[in-house]
Amino acid sequence: MSTPDDPIGFGESDSSHGETLLEIEGLTKYFAADSGLFAGLNFEPDQFPPVSVGIDQVEAVDDVSFEIKKGETLGLVGESGCGKSTLGRTILRLLDPTDGTIRFKGEDLAELSGEQLRQKRSEIQMIFQDPQSSLDPRMKVGRIIEEPMQAHDMFDDEGREARAKELLEKVGLDPRHYNRYPHAFSGGQRQRINLARALSVDPDFVVCDEPVSALDVSIQAQVMNTMEELQDEFGLTYLFIAHDLSVIRHISDRVAVMYLGHIVELAAKEELFENPQHPYTKALLESIPVPDPRESGARGVLEGEVPSPQDPPSGCRFRTRCPRLIAPEEYDVSDEEWAHTRAFMRAVKRRTFEATSAAELRRKFFDGELPRGEAGEIVDEAIDLLATDRDRDGEGDGTVTEDDWNDAAELLLESFAERSICARKRPAYDLESEYGSETHFAACHLHR
Amino acid sequence: MSSEPLLRVENLKTQFFTESGTVRAVDGISFDVHEGEIVGLVGESGAGKSVASMSLLRLVDDPGEIVGGEISYRGETIFGLEEGPDGELREREEMLSESEMRERIRGREIAVIFQDPMETLNPVFTVGGQLREFIELNRDLPSDEAKAQAIDMLREVGIPDPKERYEEYPHQFSGGMRQRVLIAMALACEPNLIIADEPTTALDVTVEGQILDLVDDLQDRYDTSFIWVTHDMGVVAEICDRVNVMYLGEIVEQAPVDELFYETNHPYTNALLDSMPRPDRTVEELDPIEGVMPEAINPPSGCRFHPRCPDAREVCTRVHPEPLEVDRADGYPHRAACVKHDVFDVGYDESVPLEAGDEAETGVGETGTEANVDSDSPLEEDQASTDGGESER
């Protein structure tokens, strides 16, 4: 396939297989929630003083650390809004990190700027999700692929054209398409053009942000196969960002799971899928519809919604939805009692039920039996606030007001959720792997 | 299995008359939906599944038109043609008029849930208001009763604190919550059939799981039938009872869900299943379907899948197979449109296998499977450029 004077593969890469290529540590990216002249001023009429200064921050990526070895594919998976794309872009320095280091081949990208950074960009490239909007419709395919080379002063005109054609062939397109415009290509082919463009400057590291999620399954498989072949041929290292766990399972060597700006679990692929240790990873895996009608798994296992990254939960960010939230140590409750209490607390917070009589509430959430000791007293107090038949010191007619709901929710959250170790400390544990020998990182206090 | 289907579609044809030619988006499909069933309509983009589902409600926009076939719902004719005195086709008399469709069928008997909840809900009205209006109009209820109904429906589909959220606007709802609102809207008039057009495609997996759970639950309670349009075989396996696989405007395979996955009878379905990465096990090598789906404006001769089919033989280029019954399971037929099955009897066994690449006349001398992937592209692209570059995958 390649000719003797193959221009591809010039500039032998200076780090060998298995070495750490990229190491990020404590990487953090916050965005200002508002921008503009008065963004820093907040007006709250029911407080004194009514005006406060300070910009609300969206904690898109918060203190993330991991490393990627030469030649491997690290899959980064998470739901929309978890910060996976922001992380990818921050690594490429398309966004300025708020804090932390990005060590690429021993050099900290976070420190670089201007011309130095621009030079570095020839070694790290990106492939975007939308094959429609990431190609300039008014540029011919040839120009599109040559542009990065031009920016980095590689070759002369002829050399660039030769390389562009060679690359077209490598990514599975016809080199004769050099003079066509992007609109003449289908989605899968456009993604191949994106690949060719990214590879034109001979990068070592490519960040792929959902490169196949806009494609049909059959085309997805074609593009993923090509990506794997190119990885072998050019010794590429991928950071593969996707929300689709099947795609991640196919293409990754190691997988990192992200939730609300934190990495919650990171392990070798087989280990992560067969032996997940974080409740969020487990929930994710259980939710995927399996293409096998004889396997009907549990689904819809997660309640509620992702909290706002503007005001993320303390400690473990998953704790507000976690089915395994740990009971605060100060209460002596059985597992069952704690499960009831937890369910009741969340139901009150989300108001998923209507206020009824105290007896009915007890029956519905606690099978009629409240937890023992102090925990039970707190629950009883909350039930009292929400019961329609409580004794209201002669006032009111038994209606439960907005304030009652808020008071009950606050009481329960402060007495239980906020006192759990999950709320007080950010978890981070290295575990032994069951599959393979690599460390298995899980951010969950169940492993304390 | 009840004897009389709720909805019967026979030989439905929907075409789009464009400047560059006639696009046969749906080309003679037949299927039926029984009471309480979830019937899947699955295929890749461009297979015609959305057009097919919209045709059922006669909601095809210009330049599209239903040109043939018959759609009947509970003995009423939604669409049907007959031959007039001069031999021309005209709409049959008993066919429901546009106003009957609007007043009796759409929303009340057959409801739709669309893929993108943001575009379906009007951003300048409150969620509750839109739901209330829908109930008011379709069920002739006074405003206050409709409001109570609307709040009930919101609670029914699992929206917490429905009284408060009734007053909120669509942008204050998350994607999953908006989809729940649409489901509430579809269910509001207690229709017998709901057409769900990729309702979970835009959602995250955990939210998708929640919605599938909700649908299962609601289906148990209301016994509503569903036509579930999707491209995701995982979702199909999860909720469908019977499945229709579409390729390029035609149904190529039709079977109960277990049969479809375990006794696959059409090479396209097979290829589709093989090309998918699996969430439940590691697949080392994916086996993609070669090439891309051709344009519906100029479909291949014979079997439309033959240029990409691993089992294609010479006869496939000549004979166009209609789906025929090749098996029977749970009282339902298993139909496949592939001449390799004996029922077709067109000489498949004696026919010469097509060489992979026979159809690809690029002659660039590329090697390896990857090179072949886009080998039919020059032709394909020329077509694409004539119709303004709308060649999605």
Side-chain angles (χ1 to χ4, degrees):
Chain A
M1 203 186 252
S2 54
T3 49
D5 52 352
D6 183 357
I8 289 178
F10 63 91
E12 271 307 297
S13 109
D14 37 354
S15 49
S16 64
H17 232 69
E19 263 176 52
T20 301
L21 182 75
L22 179 88
E23 189 181 0
I24 63 174
E25 216 179 297
L27 193 64
T28 301
K29 175 67 193 172
Y30 292 170
F31 293 101
D34 284 307
S35 58
L37 190 56
F38 297 110
L41 291 181
N42 297 315
F43 180 70
E44 278 159 51
D46 48 351
Q47 265 180 21
F48 188 82
V51 176
S52 60
V53 181
I55 296 179
D56 278 340
Q57 304 258 312
V58 176
E59 303 187 9
V61 175
D62 184 43
D63 194 9
V64 164
S65 308
F66 59 77
E67 52 177 55
I68 304 180
K69 294 191 191 72
K70 173 91 188 141
E72 80 167 347
T73 302
L74 178 73
L76 183 60
V77 67
E79 295 181 276
S80 38
C82 72
K84 53 193 193 302
S85 289
T86 304
L87 177 57
R89 282 159 200 247
T90 311
I91 291 174
L92 284 174
R93 281 295 311 275
L94 294 175
L95 296 169
D96 283 330
T98 309
D99 198 10
T101 58
I102 311 160
R103 209 157 273 286
F104 179 74
K105 290 188 189 166
E107 205 172 346
D108 188 0
L109 295 183
E111 301 277 296
L112 296 182
S113 62
E115 183 58 20
Q116 280 176 308
L117 183 62
R118 205 184 70 81
Q119 294 290 343
K120 267 279 166 227
R121 291 247 160 88
S122 70
E123 293 171 47
I124 43 179
Q125 285 286 316
M126 181 154 188
I127 299 169
F128 298 90
Q129 168 171 10
D130 188 349
Q132 241 68 270
S133 56
S134 51
L135 298 174
D136 186 340
R138 291 189 292 184
M139 248 196 230
K140 286 179 177 168
V141 166
R143 278 263 339 263
I144 289 177
I145 300 174
E146 285 168 24
E147 215 182 21
M149 295 190 268
Q150 216 166 356
H152 290 282
D153 279 330
M154 287 175 172
F155 309 113
D156 52 7
D157 285 354
E158 278 169 31
R160 284 198 284 266
E161 184 175 334
R163 183 169 166 86
K165 286 184 171 165
E166 175 101 30
L167 279 164
L168 277 174
E169 198 173 328
K170 292 272 182 206
V171 296
L173 294 173
D174 190 332
R176 292 177 304 181
H177 296 174
Y178 180 83
N179 275 324
R180 283 174 197 249
Y181 287 97
H183 75 82
F185 293 87
S186 66
Q189 291 171 322
R190 268 182 258 212
Q191 210 52 299
R192 289 168 190 272
I193 298 170
N194 266 323
L195 264 171
R197 174 175 61 186
L199 296 184
S200 67
V201 288
D202 193 32
D204 293 317
F205 179 56
V206 184
V207 174
C208 317
D209 190 358
E210 303 262 14
V212 296
S213 36
L215 308 176
D216 268 319
V217 271
S218 68
I219 310 296
Q220 240 179 30
Q222 295 170 358
V223 172
M224 279 198 285
N225 281 353
T226 305
M227 289 183 72
E228 286 186 319
E229 279 162 30
L230 293 170
Q231 179 171 39
D232 287 347
E233 189 169 342
F234 299 126
L236 296 172
T237 307
Y238 290 138
L239 174 65
F240 197 100
I241 302 170
H243 69 279
D244 185 334
L245 283 146
S246 334
V247 166
I248 287 283
R249 177 159 198 172
H250 175 69
I251 204 150
S252 312
D253 297 312
R254 286 189 307 143
V255 181
V257 182
M258 214 168 162
Y259 181 80
L260 206 60
H262 284 176
I263 299 268
V264 295
E265 188 161 9
L266 199 163
K269 169 173 70 180
E270 240 8 77
E271 168 77 7
L272 188 107
F273 278 88
E274 295 300 329
N275 185 26
Q277 291 301 324
H278 196 284
Y280 178 63
T281 314
K282 284 183 192 167
L284 264 189
L285 290 175
E286 279 167 23
S287 320
I288 331 170
V290 178
D292 184 346
R294 292 186 192 170
E295 203 152 314
S296 70
R299 47 171 200 236
V301 279
L302 272 192
E303 9 166 10
E305 294 177 27
V306 186
S308 159
Q310 219 164 312
D311 182 23
S314 59
C316 169
R317 288 189 172 179
F318 184 56
R319 68 178 166 87
T320 53
R321 303 169 76 195
C322 184
R324 302 283 306 274
L325 181 74
I326 298 165
E329 277 153 23
E330 49 261 59
Y331 305 118
D332 173 33
V333 287
S334 70
D335 287 352
E336 196 193 350
E337 284 169 340
W338 172 237
H340 288 159
T341 313
R342 191 171 54 208
F344 178 61
M345 174 177 81
R346 287 181 179 160
V348 172
K349 189 180 148 220
R350 293 187 191 121
R351 290 194 207 175
T352 53
F353 63 96
E354 292 291 289
T356 79
S357 69
E360 175 63 22
L361 286 175
R362 280 201 187 96
R363 196 192 54 73
K364 188 170 170 192
F365 289 99
F366 297 92
D367 292 335
E369 214 167 300
L370 295 189
R372 289 158 293 168
E374 204 192 333
E377 283 162 30
I378 296 164
V379 169
D380 197 43
E381 202 179 317
I383 286 182
D384 202 40
L385 280 168
L386 299 174
T388 46
D389 57 349
R390 70 167 168 170
D391 176 24
R392 264 162 229 264
D393 310 328
E395 52 161 304
D397 50 359
T399 44
V400 176
T401 63
E402 192 76 356
D403 286 343
D404 293 331
W405 277 100
N406 291 339
D407 289 348
E410 202 172 312
L411 172 71
L412 289 168
L413 288 175
E414 267 175 20
S415 326
F416 297 109
E418 299 298 332
R419 293 195 189 175
S420 164
I421 181 170
C422 301
R424 287 186 284 110
K425 203 169 149 224
R426 179 167 170 181
Y429 301 94
D430 280 329
L431 315 171
E432 297 258 316
S433 283
E434 213 166 279
Y435 299 79
S437 54
E438 292 191 59
T439 46
H440 184 150
F441 170 83
C444 180
H445 285 303
L446 288 172
H447 302 287
R448 69 192 186 275
Chain B
M1 171 183 171
S2 53
S3 48
E4 192 55 27
L6 188 67
L7 180 89
R8 172 178 281 148
V9 180
E10 260 167 81
N11 206 20
L12 176 70
K13 287 183 183 171
T14 305
Q15 304 185 343
F16 287 80
F17 300 97
T18 65
E19 274 177 26
S20 42
T22 305
V23 180
R24 295 198 243 165
V26 176
D27 206 16
I29 62 168
S30 308
F31 67 96
D32 45 27
V33 181
H34 293 270
E35 230 150 288
E37 233 186 357
I38 302 186
V39 172
L41 210 54
V42 61
E44 296 176 89
S45 30
K49 47 195 197 306
S50 286
V51 177
S53 59
M54 287 305 104
S55 301
L56 301 182
L57 284 173
R58 301 218 321 247
L59 288 174
V60 184
D61 283 333
D62 229 27
E65 203 186 307
I66 307 175
V67 297
E70 204 171 314
I71 307 167
S72 53
Y73 170 81
R74 286 196 153 174
E76 294 195 88
T77 311
I78 290 184
F79 186 84
L81 296 176
E82 63 183 2
E83 211 161 289
D86 309 324
E88 89 281 5
L89 287 176
R90 62 170 187 207
E91 292 174 357
R92 281 216 304 267
E93 230 164 76
E94 72 265 27
M95 192 172 121
L96 296 171
S97 70
E98 191 53 33
S99 66
E100 281 177 307
M101 280 298 289
R102 198 166 47 229
E103 281 161 20
R104 286 201 301 138
I105 303 294
R106 294 183 198 138
R108 300 190 180 196
E109 295 287 340
I110 307 178
V112 190
I113 305 170
F114 294 98
Q115 172 172 2
D116 189 340
M118 199 59 217
E119 286 186 10
T120 322
L121 292 170
N122 190 331
V124 299
F125 294 108
T126 61
V127 165
Q130 295 182 53
L131 188 54
R132 195 208 69 230
E133 188 191 17
F134 182 83
I135 295 172
E136 227 180 291
L137 288 178
N138 279 300
R139 287 172 58 179
D140 300 323
L141 288 176
S143 180
D144 50 338
E145 271 179 51
K147 178 174 176 178
Q149 261 296 314
I151 291 174
D152 272 354
M153 284 319 294
L154 288 176
R155 184 174 301 117
E156 188 85 321
V157 296
I159 290 181
D161 202 7
K163 268 193 207 123
E164 285 286 307
R165 308 224 60 178
Y166 180 89
E167 305 291 346
E168 289 183 5
Y169 289 87
H171 75 268
Q172 291 166 297
F173 281 61
S174 69
M177 283 297 159
R178 283 199 286 260
Q179 201 55 278
R180 282 170 195 264
V181 173
L182 288 198
I183 292 175
M185 213 176 254
L187 283 172
C189 297
E190 298 186 5
N192 288 306
L193 177 65
I194 294 180
I195 300 173
D197 189 357
E198 304 256 13
T200 59
T201 305
L203 306 176
D204 279 317
V205 279
T206 55
V207 184
E208 176 176 80
Q210 292 172 351
I211 298 285
L212 293 183
D213 256 358
L214 173 70
V215 167
D216 244 9
D217 185 42
L218 293 172
Q219 208 224 355
D220 277 353
R221 255 187 294 158
Y222 294 92
D223 204 29
T224 317
S225 305
F226 278 86
I227 294 178
W228 200 275
V229 180
T230 181
H231 69 278
D232 188 338
M233 288 302 240
V235 174
V236 168
E238 199 78 34
I239 67 164
C240 290
D241 299 311
R242 290 191 304 132
V243 191
N244 299 296
V245 182
M246 283 190 76
Y247 184 77
L248 210 55
E250 298 180 322
I251 289 179
V252 294
E253 186 161 5
Q254 185 171 61
V257 66
D258 192 77
E259 280 276 302
L260 188 87
F261 283 81
Y262 284 93
E263 302 287 335
T264 315
N265 269 323
H266 196 282
Y268 174 65
T269 318
N270 236 335
L272 206 56
L273 290 169
D274 281 348
S275 66
M276 258 186 324
R278 303 272 306 210
D280 53 338
R281 59 170 180 259
T282 305
V283 185
E284 282 311 325
E285 197 64 38
L286 287 181
D287 208 355
I289 311 178
E290 289 190 3
V292 291
M293 184 150 57
E295 297 278 299
I297 204 165
N298 184 15
S301 65
C303 169
R304 295 188 173 175
F305 185 57
H306 85 259
R308 305 171 74 190
C309 181
D311 300 341
R313 299 200 174 172
E314 191 272 325
V315 64
C316 302
T317 63
R318 289 185 284 112
V319 179
H320 179 254
E322 290 293 329
L324 291 183
E325 186 169 330
V326 294
D327 203 354
R328 227 178 152 78
D330 312 330
Y332 287 105
H334 184 156
R335 297 200 178 95
C338 180
V339 295
K340 74 176 179 182
H341 297 289
D342 292 340
V343 280
F344 285 88
D345 195 24
V346 288
Y348 176 83
D349 291 333
E350 298 81 48
S351 187
V352 205
L354 291 180
E355 293 280 329
D358 255 15
E359 289 297 312
E361 286 150 8
T362 51
V364 202
E366 294 151 319
T367 48
T369 48
E370 263 311 312
N372 281 335
V373 160
D374 294 277
S375 51
D376 54 346
S377 46
L379 176 73
E380 211 245 352
E381 278 156 30
D382 287 339
Q383 286 168 1
S385 39
T386 53
D387 69 15
E390 287 301 319
S391 73
E392 293 289 86
R393 334 186 227 298

